[in-house]
Amino acid sequence: MVFDSYVFAVFFAVVYLVYICLKGVRSQNLFLLVASYFFYGFWSWKFLALLVATQIVDFHISKGLVRLDDQSKRKRLMWLSVIVNMGTLGFFKYFNFFTDNLQEVMRAFGVEVSDVTLNIVLPVGISFYTIQELTYIIDVYKRRVRPAGRFVDFALFVSYFPQLVAGPIERAERLLPQVQSPRQIHWDDLVEGTWLFCWGLFKKVFVADRIAMLSDSVFGAPEAASGPMVVLGAVAFTVQIYADFSGYSDMAVGLGRMMGFRLMYNFNLPFFAVSPSDFWRRWHISLSQCLRDNLYIPMGGNRKGFSRELSALMITMLIGGLWHGAQWHFVLWGAYCGGLLVLERLIRMGAPHGMIIEPRETGSIVKRLAHIAVMFPLTALGFLIFRAETVGDVGELLGNLATGWESARAALPQLKELLICTWLLGGYQIAHYFSENRFVVFKVPVPLRAIIYLIMYLSLTLGAPHDARTFIYFQF
């Protein structure tokens, strides 16, 4: 069941009607938990059992962390949660990856081994809910938050259906109090929530799914892609993955707003980033914060010397790359992103004062645009690595960059399609950037707003592809 399906529309209509009719937090939470389990079980009831099992384990571990005073026992209990959650994630997501590579290494040394690859299906959303449960246990262990007293509240915090499958990854200090407290739904929540859902739907169905046909044609046959098509393919996929993933996040936040929950915004104009570190403050914000708080800072962050900081940055991004998938090109992408962050730190050390622009710095718009103009191609190059099927394909695509420019006009139809798909998204992003208002659509004159709504409606009904595509981040 996905947000852009008629099945979900019926599901949400029924859930919402019952939800607003129920009185009291306990009855609402119990109903939402049952609805969330049904939503997840719609994919697989077997994997629903896995989700519930990990929740039962972590709920009792969190209660034990509060009861115990002995720090060594508390630490062992915390590590039990880490082992259970990471062991489960590691088996389903990384077992074949590590065994295949171990077999290759052993064969390189002349040791013949038999294949032990298993036919494992990756449970949808396992990376997201595993991190959310783990950060909860770590926060309870560090006494940052008090654990939920009722299993229903904790389970709903983990499996609330708008953000269960692909985030945002919510911290307990933000979402758990909302789960435990009475919710009030105001008119602004309904209006802004509906806009977020419709805007996210437009980004996913019209922008991402149409551009996918262009990016697939390039990355599906890298050996045949000319230089102009490689550039177009990289830019197309960069926009596609943003529209796809931020579209899901907008829909999730919008659904939450309509139900009285304030989920965090997961994206904040990432293509207007002025540096690699600024990009990660704007892209997949919930994951960036989790990696920062639970990997980068515990490894020393910027508190234990410059070389330690650079090592922590690189290790954090390598793990972040591997989190996205058990393939070497994701590790390469993580190394590339880590390398950009390291390079930024090195430049900051030697750059003259005023050369590097800070994310919140006001000043010359020309200097800011110049930084953005440098950062976007670097981002697109990173997503070329991300989208390629193998490391070999990365090399082939990069090798083809220098070819075919004498016949660049042949790529004009694809460029035209890319512009048709993105002009409204780009225009709204620019308006959002300069107004610093995510809901700038409500600030324009009513006739112009009506035109925007009409364009979105016609795009979805007449311009959307016939074949629906699943969200990209469902595979992670």
Side-chain angles (χ1 to χ4, degrees):
M1 191 188 308
V2 291
F3 292 165
D4 55 337
S5 67
Y6 292 113
V7 175
F8 178 79
V10 174
F11 165 81
F12 183 72
V14 173
V15 168
Y16 193 73
L17 181 62
V18 175
Y19 171 73
I20 60 176
C21 290
L22 290 172
K23 303 298 182 182
V25 173
R26 291 198 171 198
S27 58
Q28 285 184 332
N29 286 358
L30 179 59
F31 174 71
L32 284 180
L33 179 60
V34 173
S36 297
Y37 282 165
F38 177 83
F39 173 82
Y40 191 80
F42 198 84
W43 275 287
S44 171
W45 289 103
K46 293 182 293 184
F47 291 143
L48 173 61
L50 177 67
L51 170 64
V52 175
T54 61
Q55 290 176 348
I56 292 172
V57 170
D58 281 331
F59 175 73
H60 288 290
I61 286 177
S62 69
K63 303 292 281 186
L65 289 172
V66 172
R67 289 195 302 267
L68 292 173
D69 294 322
D70 188 298
Q71 189 60 21
S72 62
K73 292 181 179 179
R74 296 183 76 248
K75 183 175 289 188
R76 286 197 293 271
L77 204 55
M78 184 268 292
W79 275 106
L80 175 61
S81 175
V82 173
I83 292 169
V84 169
N85 283 285
M86 295 309 295
T88 303
L89 179 63
F91 174 76
F92 281 99
K93 193 167 184 176
Y94 302 106
F95 179 84
N96 286 338
F97 174 73
F98 285 116
T99 55
D100 289 347
N101 283 279
L102 179 60
Q103 290 166 26
E104 289 297 323
V105 170
M106 295 179 70
R107 286 166 183 159
F109 284 95
V111 180
E112 285 299 322
V113 291
S114 58
D115 290 335
V116 292
T117 301
L118 301 179
N119 186 21
I120 299 174
V121 178
L122 183 68
V124 65
I126 187 172
S127 297
F128 289 89
Y129 72 71
T130 296
I131 288 186
Q132 188 153 318
E133 286 190 49
L134 266 180
T135 55
Y136 169 82
I137 291 296
I138 292 171
D139 286 345
V140 172
Y141 169 75
K142 294 183 176 180
R143 303 189 191 279
R144 292 173 181 164
V145 298
R146 290 189 58 82
R150 300 175 62 243
F151 175 76
V152 169
D153 294 341
F154 168 70
L156 181 58
F157 155 72
V158 174
S159 52
Y160 180 47
F161 72 86
Q163 51 92 217
L164 168 61
V165 178
I169 303 165
E170 289 285 352
R171 301 295 288 267
E173 61 187 3
R174 266 187 54 85
L175 184 56
L176 191 57
Q178 298 182 60
V179 170
Q180 296 171 319
S181 305
R183 272 88 59 179
Q184 293 185 337
I185 304 173
H186 302 287
W187 178 249
D188 286 347
D189 293 320
L190 292 174
V191 172
E192 293 179 357
T194 301
W195 163 254
L196 284 171
F197 184 87
C198 293
W199 182 238
L201 185 68
F202 170 79
K203 287 197 286 188
K204 167 64 172 74
V205 175
F206 180 73
V207 179
D209 287 0
R210 279 194 62 157
I211 291 179
M213 294 183 285
L214 170 56
S215 62
D216 287 353
S217 68
V218 174
F219 290 97
E223 70 286 348
S226 63
M229 287 304 300
V230 172
V231 172
L232 271 178
V235 172
F237 180 72
T238 301
V239 178
Q240 177 197 346
I241 193 171
Y242 168 72
D244 189 285
F245 193 17
S246 72
Y248 178 95
S249 296
D250 284 349
M251 286 188 270
V253 175
L255 292 168
R257 286 289 296 273
M258 287 185 269
M259 304 178 81
F261 290 92
R262 294 268 180 163
L263 302 178
M264 70 178 295
Y265 294 112
N266 216 9
F267 292 85
N268 182 25
L269 301 173
F271 299 150
F272 290 84
V274 296
S275 66
S277 58
D278 188 31
F279 176 82
W280 288 106
R281 282 187 285 265
R282 296 170 176 271
W283 177 275
H284 204 344
I285 300 170
S286 59
L287 177 64
S288 299
Q289 291 178 353
C290 284
L291 293 175
R292 179 198 65 197
D293 295 345
N294 297 294
L295 285 175
Y296 174 70
I297 292 177
M299 284 190 288
N302 59 1
R303 297 172 287 111
K304 296 189 176 182
F306 190 61
S307 60
R308 183 74 170 267
E309 177 187 3
L310 299 187
S311 299
L313 279 172
M314 184 59 74
I315 293 171
T316 299
M317 296 313 296
L318 283 170
I319 293 174
L322 189 59
W323 177 87
H324 283 81
Q327 297 182 48
W328 281 112
H329 69 95
F330 288 123
V331 178
L332 179 60
W333 175 71
Y336 172 81
C337 294
L340 288 182
L341 290 170
V342 168
L343 180 61
E344 178 188 350
R345 295 297 195 276
L346 293 172
I347 291 174
R348 285 180 181 278
M349 284 190 64
H353 179 71
M355 176 181 172
I356 302 297
I357 191 169
E358 298 298 330
R360 296 176 180 83
E361 179 183 332
T362 58
S364 170
I365 187 63
V366 174
K367 186 167 77 169
R368 181 173 289 275
L369 290 176
H371 281 71
I372 293 171
V374 171
M375 191 60 212
F376 182 79
L378 293 175
T379 302
L381 177 57
F383 280 119
L384 179 150
I385 299 171
F386 186 100
R387 174 62 178 83
E389 298 293 335
T390 65
V391 174
D393 285 354
V394 174
E396 189 143 33
L397 288 164
L398 294 178
N400 288 347
L401 274 174
T403 67
W405 289 97
E406 66 281 357
S407 56
R409 292 177 62 88
L412 287 179
Q414 288 84 357
L415 176 60
K416 179 181 177 182
E417 174 69 10
L418 182 61
L419 293 175
I420 290 173
C421 293
T422 58
W423 72 270
L424 181 58
L425 173 63
Y428 192 82
Q429 296 266 293
I430 292 170
H432 177 186
Y433 179 74
F434 285 104
S435 68
E436 298 183 345
N437 184 352
R438 189 178 296 271
F439 299 101
V440 64
V441 67
F442 298 127
K443 302 299 182 182
V444 303
V446 172
L448 178 56
R449 196 187 316 166
I451 292 173
I452 294 173
Y453 294 160
L454 179 61
I455 292 172
M456 291 171 59
Y457 173 76
L458 293 176
S459 299
L460 289 170
T461 54
L462 302 178
H466 296 296
D467 297 328
R469 290 172 176 260
T470 188
F471 289 90
I472 293 174
Y473 265 70
F474 281 17
Q475 64 184 293
F476 304 136

